[in-house]
Amino acid sequence: MKLRRKILLAIILLVFIPVILMGSISYFSFSGAMEKKSSNFYWVSLLETDRKLKYALNEVTTISNSAITQPVIQKTLKQPNFVVTYDQRQDINNLINHPMITSFGLYSKDKLLYQYNEAMSFDTLSKQNWYEAMKAAEGRPIWVGPGENGSASTGKPVLIQARVIKDYYSLEDIGAVVIYVKPELLDQVFWDAATLKQGDILLVNQQGNIVFDKSGEHIGERTDFPFLNESPKPDGNGKGYYVDKYAGEKSLITYLPSHNKDWHLVAITPSKLIASESIQIRNIAMVLVLVSLVSAFLFDRYFVRRLVRSIISAVNGMKRVQQGIFVPIPPTLRAGDETDLLIDGFNRMSTQISELIEQVQTEQARKKEVELQALVAQINPHFIYNSLESINSMAVLQGNKDISKMVVSLGKLLRISISESQQLIPLSMEMEHVRHYLDIQKFRFEDKFTYQIEIPESLKYYKTQKLIVQPIVENALYHAIEPMEERGFISITARDGGRDIFIDVMDNGPGFDHVALMTLWSKERGSLKKYRENGVGLKNVHERLSIRFGGYYGIMICSSPGFGSIIRIRIPKIDS
């Protein structure tokens, strides 16, 4: 992964995700706290509403409690003919009198005995779904709201209290009273209940019918609140709440059992109203995320991109340095920070390395020239001394014309070896030098060896380092041919190797193993008595070729005891 992407990923991990998590946690925590506080608020409101409801209903209950025990009602229900006189009617009306009571009916065991304003017949009463509940209440009042008694659907909603009347002395059932109360009684109670805008408070019975609601829009409708069927127990504070859909809208539903065991008070609050309190937190979180996004973009645009660009420039510069290209990094807009120091430092380093390489190359070239001159100087005196020694020996021993031939060959040798103006000579001249050398040596060794030189016409004019074959031939003479009792043979063959030229110097001497070669090769030159004894011929040629043409060129030695030796010289093709 590239550096810029890594930095952007780090920004996302260190900025975006924490901000999003912080905003989300804050939003949901605040929403949960608002939901809990709202449920507490509505529970208090429902508790206060139920208290007021109980107080309002108790006013009517107190009137009916007092009325059903009065002699006028007791006697009226117990008389044989059930005839209610005018005075009795006046007394009964005075007993059941309240601003919220619109009408009432007084019933015997089988008929309507007296009614004020308007009341249902006994047959109608006996068919009501709450009639059996009234009888089962044994004289206790039961309340039937507008949503239960069907009055809401007629357009004239009323609240009904119904109760059985018992004999004051024997407690036997002697009749019943049904009191019709204005719905304004409930309106007054629910009007004071605290709710949010668009919120509602319901009075629901155990069957799920809405007895009454604050808005007045849902009286008589059927609901399916789960707490009605499952009868869940509220928590320690006597309250319960949950979130569910009501009327197709997600809402917070807070419920509280009423003092009337058949009713529940339910507060409905749309969740969007509660969430509206958290909108500010949500908006702040979104603004923070947006600001973080813009900040990250600006950070990437004005800092990361420039930083990464500087690093990439430095990396590309280092790659060029690895390839041997020392080009300074072009300057960009300076920011006055460490990136400028990085680029400036790299440019200084690149310039210094380039200068050092040029200096080293110059010194190496000078060193090569000095070493070549030193190596050539080692060979020339040595060969001259050996040749003069041979000439001197022959002059002393024989005193014949062969001395003349030997001197001629020696002169030709000296013209090539002593001349320092030419470091590269044609291959044919190098082979001619070897031929003169062998001719001189044949005077010394007489007929102890023969030689053969083969060079193709196509290779004669390629240039080569001078004095590379003669030291190897000399090595073969002194280390291979001279110790032999039988006649020796030396073969010098040049052949085309494509881009290179191979020169093989072969002898039929006793050969040697690699241990002897490494021992001879590693000896110090100055510690041996004679040049030819210290292996300087082979090592000298190899070092000269490596210095002149590179480590790819030099000599390769193939030898085995009893099978002679082959020394292969590898040189590049250099046109004349």
Side-chain angles (χ1 to χ4, degrees), residues 421-464:
S421 59
Q422 264 187 318
Q423 293 298 325
L424 296 179
I425 61 175
L427 187 58
S428 58
M429 185 179 292
E430 176 69 13
M431 292 301 184
E432 187 66 22
H433 179 271
V434 173
R435 188 185 304 277
H436 290 306
Y437 172 76
L438 288 172
D439 288 341
I440 293 173
Q441 293 297 344
K442 281 185 67 67
F443 285 109
R444 177 185 176 188
F445 288 93
E446 297 181 348
D447 294 331
K448 196 172 184 179
F449 75 93
T450 59
Y451 70 89
Q452 177 183 345
I453 299 176
E454 295 182 5
I455 175 172
E457 190 70 24
S458 59
L459 302 179
K460 285 184 177 181
Y461 301 103
Y462 283 106
K463 294 283 187 170
T464 183

Short mmCIF file of all heavy atoms in Angstrom, two decimals, residues 421-464:
data_model
loop_
_atom_site.label_atom_id
_atom_site.label_comp_id
_atom_site.label_asym_id
_atom_site.label_seq_id
_atom_site.Cartn_x
_atom_site.Cartn_y
_atom_site.Cartn_z
N SER A 421 55.50 2.81 -25.97
CA SER A 421 54.56 3.73 -26.60
C SER A 421 53.30 3.02 -27.06
O SER A 421 52.25 3.62 -27.17
CB SER A 421 55.24 4.43 -27.80
OG SER A 421 55.69 3.44 -28.74
N GLN A 422 53.40 1.73 -27.32
CA GLN A 422 52.27 0.95 -27.80
C GLN A 422 51.91 -0.10 -26.77
O GLN A 422 52.69 -1.02 -26.51
CB GLN A 422 52.63 0.25 -29.13
CG GLN A 422 52.18 1.02 -30.36
CD GLN A 422 52.41 0.19 -31.61
OE1 GLN A 422 53.44 -0.46 -31.75
NE2 GLN A 422 51.46 0.22 -32.52
N GLN A 423 50.70 0.04 -26.18
CA GLN A 423 50.23 -0.97 -25.23
C GLN A 423 49.41 -2.05 -25.93
O GLN A 423 49.37 -3.18 -25.49
CB GLN A 423 49.38 -0.32 -24.13
CG GLN A 423 50.15 0.60 -23.21
CD GLN A 423 51.21 -0.15 -22.44
OE1 GLN A 423 51.04 -1.31 -22.06
NE2 GLN A 423 52.36 0.51 -22.22
N LEU A 424 48.71 -1.70 -27.02
CA LEU A 424 47.92 -2.66 -27.80
C LEU A 424 48.59 -2.86 -29.14
O LEU A 424 48.90 -1.89 -29.85
CB LEU A 424 46.49 -2.15 -27.99
CG LEU A 424 45.64 -1.97 -26.73
CD1 LEU A 424 44.26 -1.44 -27.09
CD2 LEU A 424 45.51 -3.28 -25.97
N ILE A 425 48.82 -4.13 -29.51
CA ILE A 425 49.45 -4.46 -30.78
C ILE A 425 48.58 -5.47 -31.51
O ILE A 425 47.74 -6.15 -30.89
CB ILE A 425 50.86 -5.03 -30.54
CG1 ILE A 425 50.79 -6.33 -29.72
CG2 ILE A 425 51.76 -3.99 -29.87
CD1 ILE A 425 52.13 -7.02 -29.56
N PRO A 426 48.76 -5.65 -32.84
CA PRO A 426 48.00 -6.68 -33.55
C PRO A 426 48.35 -8.07 -33.03
O PRO A 426 49.46 -8.32 -32.56
CB PRO A 426 48.43 -6.50 -35.01
CG PRO A 426 48.94 -5.10 -35.09
CD PRO A 426 49.55 -4.81 -33.75
N LEU A 427 47.36 -8.95 -33.12
CA LEU A 427 47.56 -10.32 -32.64
C LEU A 427 48.67 -11.02 -33.43
O LEU A 427 49.43 -11.83 -32.87
CB LEU A 427 46.25 -11.10 -32.75
CG LEU A 427 46.21 -12.50 -32.15
CD1 LEU A 427 46.57 -12.47 -30.68
CD2 LEU A 427 44.85 -13.15 -32.36
N SER A 428 48.80 -10.68 -34.71
CA SER A 428 49.86 -11.29 -35.52
C SER A 428 51.24 -10.90 -35.00
O SER A 428 52.18 -11.71 -34.99
CB SER A 428 49.71 -10.87 -36.99
OG SER A 428 49.78 -9.45 -37.11
N MET A 429 51.40 -9.63 -34.56
CA MET A 429 52.68 -9.18 -34.00
C MET A 429 52.98 -9.90 -32.70
O MET A 429 54.14 -10.27 -32.43
CB MET A 429 52.64 -7.66 -33.79
CG MET A 429 53.99 -7.09 -33.32
SD MET A 429 53.92 -5.30 -33.11
CE MET A 429 53.73 -4.78 -34.81
N GLU A 430 51.93 -10.12 -31.86
CA GLU A 430 52.13 -10.86 -30.62
C GLU A 430 52.59 -12.27 -30.90
O GLU A 430 53.50 -12.80 -30.23
CB GLU A 430 50.83 -10.85 -29.81
CG GLU A 430 50.87 -11.67 -28.52
CD GLU A 430 51.78 -11.06 -27.47
OE1 GLU A 430 52.18 -9.88 -27.62
OE2 GLU A 430 52.09 -11.74 -26.48
N MET A 431 52.00 -12.91 -31.93
CA MET A 431 52.41 -14.28 -32.27
C MET A 431 53.82 -14.30 -32.85
O MET A 431 54.60 -15.24 -32.64
CB MET A 431 51.42 -14.87 -33.27
CG MET A 431 50.04 -15.12 -32.67
SD MET A 431 50.14 -16.24 -31.27
CE MET A 431 48.41 -16.43 -30.89
N GLU A 432 54.20 -13.24 -33.61
CA GLU A 432 55.55 -13.15 -34.15
C GLU A 432 56.56 -13.01 -33.02
O GLU A 432 57.65 -13.60 -33.06
CB GLU A 432 55.63 -11.93 -35.09
CG GLU A 432 56.96 -11.83 -35.85
CD GLU A 432 57.15 -12.96 -36.86
OE1 GLU A 432 56.13 -13.58 -37.27
OE2 GLU A 432 58.29 -13.27 -37.21
N HIS A 433 56.19 -12.28 -31.99
CA HIS A 433 57.03 -12.14 -30.81
C HIS A 433 57.26 -13.49 -30.15
O HIS A 433 58.39 -13.84 -29.76
CB HIS A 433 56.36 -11.16 -29.83
CG HIS A 433 57.12 -10.95 -28.57
ND1 HIS A 433 56.94 -11.73 -27.45
CD2 HIS A 433 58.09 -10.06 -28.24
CE1 HIS A 433 57.74 -11.33 -26.49
NE2 HIS A 433 58.46 -10.30 -26.95
N VAL A 434 56.21 -14.29 -30.04
CA VAL A 434 56.33 -15.63 -29.45
C VAL A 434 57.22 -16.52 -30.31
O VAL A 434 58.03 -17.31 -29.80
CB VAL A 434 54.92 -16.24 -29.26
CG1 VAL A 434 55.03 -17.69 -28.80
CG2 VAL A 434 54.10 -15.41 -28.28
N ARG A 435 57.05 -16.38 -31.63
CA ARG A 435 57.85 -17.22 -32.54
C ARG A 435 59.34 -16.92 -32.34
O ARG A 435 60.17 -17.84 -32.26
CB ARG A 435 57.44 -16.95 -33.99
CG ARG A 435 58.10 -17.93 -35.00
CD ARG A 435 57.73 -17.51 -36.42
NE ARG A 435 56.30 -17.45 -36.59
CZ ARG A 435 55.53 -18.51 -36.86
NH1 ARG A 435 56.08 -19.71 -36.97
NH2 ARG A 435 54.22 -18.35 -37.02
N HIS A 436 59.75 -15.64 -32.30
CA HIS A 436 61.16 -15.30 -32.08
C HIS A 436 61.65 -15.82 -30.75
O HIS A 436 62.79 -16.30 -30.63
CB HIS A 436 61.34 -13.77 -32.14
CG HIS A 436 61.17 -13.21 -33.52
ND1 HIS A 436 61.87 -13.67 -34.62
CD2 HIS A 436 60.37 -12.21 -34.00
CE1 HIS A 436 61.51 -13.00 -35.69
NE2 HIS A 436 60.60 -12.10 -35.34
N TYR A 437 60.77 -15.72 -29.72
CA TYR A 437 61.17 -16.22 -28.40
C TYR A 437 61.46 -17.71 -28.45
O TYR A 437 62.47 -18.20 -27.91
CB TYR A 437 60.08 -15.90 -27.38
CG TYR A 437 60.31 -16.55 -26.04
CD1 TYR A 437 61.26 -16.03 -25.16
CD2 TYR A 437 59.63 -17.70 -25.67
CE1 TYR A 437 61.50 -16.65 -23.95
CE2 TYR A 437 59.87 -18.31 -24.46
CZ TYR A 437 60.79 -17.78 -23.59
OH TYR A 437 61.03 -18.39 -22.39
N LEU A 438 60.56 -18.46 -29.11
CA LEU A 438 60.76 -19.92 -29.19
C LEU A 438 61.98 -20.28 -30.02
O LEU A 438 62.69 -21.26 -29.72
CB LEU A 438 59.50 -20.58 -29.76
CG LEU A 438 58.29 -20.60 -28.82
CD1 LEU A 438 57.05 -21.09 -29.56
CD2 LEU A 438 58.56 -21.47 -27.61
N ASP A 439 62.22 -19.48 -31.07
CA ASP A 439 63.43 -19.76 -31.85
C ASP A 439 64.67 -19.59 -31.01
O ASP A 439 65.64 -20.37 -31.11
CB ASP A 439 63.48 -18.82 -33.07
CG ASP A 439 62.44 -19.20 -34.12
OD1 ASP A 439 61.95 -20.36 -34.07
OD2 ASP A 439 62.09 -18.34 -34.96
N ILE A 440 64.72 -18.53 -30.19
CA ILE A 440 65.87 -18.32 -29.31
C ILE A 440 66.00 -19.49 -28.33
O ILE A 440 67.11 -20.01 -28.09
CB ILE A 440 65.72 -17.00 -28.55
CG1 ILE A 440 65.83 -15.82 -29.52
CG2 ILE A 440 66.76 -16.87 -27.44
CD1 ILE A 440 65.53 -14.47 -28.87
N GLN A 441 64.83 -19.94 -27.75
CA GLN A 441 64.88 -21.02 -26.77
C GLN A 441 65.30 -22.34 -27.41
O GLN A 441 65.85 -23.21 -26.73
CB GLN A 441 63.52 -21.14 -26.07
CG GLN A 441 63.16 -19.97 -25.19
CD GLN A 441 64.13 -19.79 -24.04
OE1 GLN A 441 64.93 -20.70 -23.69
NE2 GLN A 441 64.14 -18.60 -23.45
N LYS A 442 65.02 -22.50 -28.71
CA LYS A 442 65.40 -23.75 -29.36
C LYS A 442 66.93 -23.87 -29.43
O LYS A 442 67.48 -24.98 -29.41
CB LYS A 442 64.81 -23.84 -30.77
CG LYS A 442 63.34 -24.26 -30.76
CD LYS A 442 62.80 -24.46 -32.15
CE LYS A 442 63.43 -25.65 -32.85
NZ LYS A 442 63.05 -26.92 -32.21
N PHE A 443 67.64 -22.72 -29.54
CA PHE A 443 69.09 -22.77 -29.49
C PHE A 443 69.57 -23.30 -28.15
O PHE A 443 70.55 -24.02 -28.07
CB PHE A 443 69.69 -21.39 -29.76
CG PHE A 443 69.62 -20.97 -31.20
CD1 PHE A 443 68.75 -19.98 -31.59
CD2 PHE A 443 70.43 -21.59 -32.16
CE1 PHE A 443 68.68 -19.59 -32.91
CE2 PHE A 443 70.36 -21.20 -33.48
CZ PHE A 443 69.46 -20.19 -33.87
N ARG A 444 68.82 -22.92 -27.11
CA ARG A 444 69.24 -23.34 -25.77
C ARG A 444 68.87 -24.80 -25.50
O ARG A 444 69.67 -25.57 -24.97
CB ARG A 444 68.59 -22.44 -24.73
CG ARG A 444 68.92 -22.87 -23.32
CD ARG A 444 68.18 -22.05 -22.30
NE ARG A 444 68.46 -22.56 -20.95
CZ ARG A 444 67.84 -22.17 -19.85
NH1 ARG A 444 66.90 -21.23 -19.93
NH2 ARG A 444 68.17 -22.68 -18.68
N PHE A 445 67.60 -25.15 -25.84
CA PHE A 445 67.13 -26.50 -25.55
C PHE A 445 67.45 -27.49 -26.67
O PHE A 445 67.10 -28.67 -26.56
CB PHE A 445 65.61 -26.48 -25.31
CG PHE A 445 65.21 -25.86 -24.01
CD1 PHE A 445 64.89 -24.51 -23.94
CD2 PHE A 445 65.19 -26.62 -22.85
CE1 PHE A 445 64.53 -23.93 -22.76
CE2 PHE A 445 64.81 -26.03 -21.65
CZ PHE A 445 64.49 -24.68 -21.59
N GLU A 446 68.11 -26.96 -27.76
CA GLU A 446 68.45 -27.78 -28.92
C GLU A 446 67.18 -28.45 -29.47
O GLU A 446 66.21 -27.77 -29.75
CB GLU A 446 69.53 -28.79 -28.54
CG GLU A 446 70.85 -28.12 -28.12
CD GLU A 446 71.90 -29.12 -27.76
OE1 GLU A 446 71.56 -30.32 -27.61
OE2 GLU A 446 73.07 -28.70 -27.61
N ASP A 447 67.16 -29.72 -29.61
CA ASP A 447 66.01 -30.41 -30.18
C ASP A 447 65.12 -31.04 -29.12
O ASP A 447 64.42 -32.04 -29.36
CB ASP A 447 66.51 -31.51 -31.15
CG ASP A 447 67.20 -30.93 -32.36
OD1 ASP A 447 66.82 -29.78 -32.72
OD2 ASP A 447 68.06 -31.59 -32.92
N LYS A 448 65.14 -30.45 -27.94
CA LYS A 448 64.35 -31.05 -26.85
C LYS A 448 62.85 -30.78 -27.00
O LYS A 448 62.04 -31.42 -26.34
CB LYS A 448 64.86 -30.51 -25.50
CG LYS A 448 64.39 -31.35 -24.33
CD LYS A 448 65.05 -30.93 -23.05
CE LYS A 448 64.61 -31.86 -21.93
NZ LYS A 448 65.25 -31.52 -20.63
N PHE A 449 62.44 -29.83 -27.83
CA PHE A 449 61.00 -29.58 -28.01
C PHE A 449 60.76 -29.05 -29.41
O PHE A 449 61.68 -28.55 -30.08
CB PHE A 449 60.49 -28.56 -26.98
CG PHE A 449 60.89 -27.15 -27.26
CD1 PHE A 449 60.05 -26.29 -27.99
CD2 PHE A 449 62.12 -26.66 -26.82
CE1 PHE A 449 60.44 -24.99 -28.23
CE2 PHE A 449 62.49 -25.36 -27.06
CZ PHE A 449 61.65 -24.52 -27.78
N THR A 450 59.53 -29.15 -29.84
CA THR A 450 59.05 -28.54 -31.08
C THR A 450 57.82 -27.68 -30.73
O THR A 450 57.22 -27.84 -29.66
CB THR A 450 58.64 -29.60 -32.11
OG1 THR A 450 57.61 -30.42 -31.57
CG2 THR A 450 59.84 -30.45 -32.53
N TYR A 451 57.47 -26.79 -31.64
CA TYR A 451 56.30 -25.94 -31.36
C TYR A 451 55.49 -25.74 -32.63
O TYR A 451 55.97 -25.97 -33.74
CB TYR A 451 56.74 -24.59 -30.78
CG TYR A 451 57.44 -23.68 -31.76
CD1 TYR A 451 56.71 -22.79 -32.56
CD2 TYR A 451 58.83 -23.71 -31.86
CE1 TYR A 451 57.36 -21.96 -33.45
CE2 TYR A 451 59.48 -22.88 -32.75
CZ TYR A 451 58.74 -22.00 -33.55
OH TYR A 451 59.38 -21.19 -34.44
N GLN A 452 54.25 -25.28 -32.44
CA GLN A 452 53.33 -25.02 -33.56
C GLN A 452 52.49 -23.79 -33.21
O GLN A 452 51.95 -23.70 -32.12
CB GLN A 452 52.41 -26.22 -33.79
CG GLN A 452 51.38 -25.99 -34.89
CD GLN A 452 50.43 -27.19 -35.03
OE1 GLN A 452 50.72 -28.27 -34.53
NE2 GLN A 452 49.34 -26.98 -35.72
N ILE A 453 52.41 -22.81 -34.12
CA ILE A 453 51.60 -21.59 -33.92
C ILE A 453 50.56 -21.51 -35.03
O ILE A 453 50.94 -21.53 -36.22
CB ILE A 453 52.48 -20.33 -33.91
CG1 ILE A 453 53.50 -20.38 -32.76
CG2 ILE A 453 51.62 -19.07 -33.81
CD1 ILE A 453 54.48 -19.22 -32.74
N GLU A 454 49.29 -21.44 -34.66
CA GLU A 454 48.20 -21.35 -35.63
C GLU A 454 47.34 -20.13 -35.31
O GLU A 454 46.84 -20.00 -34.18
CB GLU A 454 47.32 -22.61 -35.61
CG GLU A 454 48.05 -23.86 -36.05
CD GLU A 454 47.12 -25.07 -36.07
OE1 GLU A 454 45.90 -24.87 -35.83
OE2 GLU A 454 47.60 -26.19 -36.30
N ILE A 455 47.18 -19.25 -36.29
CA ILE A 455 46.33 -18.08 -36.13
C ILE A 455 45.55 -17.87 -37.43
O ILE A 455 46.17 -17.74 -38.50
CB ILE A 455 47.15 -16.83 -35.75
CG1 ILE A 455 46.22 -15.60 -35.71
CG2 ILE A 455 48.33 -16.63 -36.67
CD1 ILE A 455 46.90 -14.37 -35.15
N PRO A 456 44.22 -17.86 -37.39
CA PRO A 456 43.44 -17.65 -38.60
C PRO A 456 43.71 -16.27 -39.17
O PRO A 456 44.02 -15.32 -38.45
CB PRO A 456 41.99 -17.77 -38.13
CG PRO A 456 42.06 -18.54 -36.85
CD PRO A 456 43.37 -18.17 -36.24
N GLU A 457 43.58 -16.16 -40.49
CA GLU A 457 43.80 -14.89 -41.17
C GLU A 457 42.85 -13.81 -40.66
O GLU A 457 43.21 -12.63 -40.57
CB GLU A 457 43.63 -15.09 -42.68
CG GLU A 457 44.08 -13.90 -43.51
CD GLU A 457 45.60 -13.74 -43.48
OE1 GLU A 457 46.33 -14.74 -43.23
OE2 GLU A 457 46.07 -12.60 -43.67
N SER A 458 41.63 -14.23 -40.29
CA SER A 458 40.60 -13.26 -39.88
C SER A 458 40.90 -12.63 -38.52
O SER A 458 40.31 -11.61 -38.16
CB SER A 458 39.23 -13.93 -39.82
OG SER A 458 39.26 -15.01 -38.90
N LEU A 459 41.80 -13.24 -37.73
CA LEU A 459 42.07 -12.73 -36.38
C LEU A 459 43.40 -11.98 -36.29
O LEU A 459 43.72 -11.43 -35.23
CB LEU A 459 42.08 -13.89 -35.37
CG LEU A 459 40.81 -14.73 -35.26
CD1 LEU A 459 41.00 -15.83 -34.23
CD2 LEU A 459 39.62 -13.85 -34.86
N LYS A 460 44.19 -11.95 -37.37
CA LYS A 460 45.54 -11.41 -37.29
C LYS A 460 45.57 -9.93 -36.93
O LYS A 460 46.52 -9.47 -36.29
CB LYS A 460 46.27 -11.63 -38.62
CG LYS A 460 46.70 -13.08 -38.84
CD LYS A 460 47.50 -13.20 -40.12
CE LYS A 460 48.02 -14.63 -40.32
NZ LYS A 460 48.83 -14.75 -41.56
N TYR A 461 44.57 -9.18 -37.34
CA TYR A 461 44.66 -7.74 -37.20
C TYR A 461 43.85 -7.19 -36.03
O TYR A 461 43.73 -5.98 -35.86
CB TYR A 461 44.22 -7.09 -38.51
CG TYR A 461 45.09 -7.52 -39.68
CD1 TYR A 461 44.61 -8.46 -40.59
CD2 TYR A 461 46.37 -7.01 -39.83
CE1 TYR A 461 45.39 -8.88 -41.64
CE2 TYR A 461 47.17 -7.43 -40.89
CZ TYR A 461 46.68 -8.37 -41.79
OH TYR A 461 47.46 -8.79 -42.83
N TYR A 462 43.30 -8.09 -35.21
CA TYR A 462 42.64 -7.62 -33.98
C TYR A 462 43.71 -7.23 -32.97
O TYR A 462 44.75 -7.88 -32.86
CB TYR A 462 41.72 -8.70 -33.39
CG TYR A 462 40.41 -8.83 -34.12
CD1 TYR A 462 40.17 -9.91 -34.96
CD2 TYR A 462 39.39 -7.88 -33.94
CE1 TYR A 462 38.96 -10.04 -35.64
CE2 TYR A 462 38.19 -8.00 -34.61
CZ TYR A 462 37.97 -9.08 -35.45
OH TYR A 462 36.78 -9.18 -36.11
N LYS A 463 43.43 -6.16 -32.21
CA LYS A 463 44.38 -5.65 -31.23
C LYS A 463 44.34 -6.48 -29.95
O LYS A 463 43.29 -6.99 -29.55
CB LYS A 463 44.05 -4.20 -30.89
CG LYS A 463 44.22 -3.24 -32.06
CD LYS A 463 45.69 -2.93 -32.31
CE LYS A 463 45.81 -1.82 -33.36
NZ LYS A 463 47.17 -1.31 -33.47
N THR A 464 45.47 -6.56 -29.28
CA THR A 464 45.55 -7.25 -28.00
C THR A 464 46.62 -6.61 -27.14
O THR A 464 47.46 -5.85 -27.63
CB THR A 464 45.86 -8.75 -28.21
OG1 THR A 464 45.85 -9.40 -26.94
CG2 THR A 464 47.24 -8.93 -28.84
#
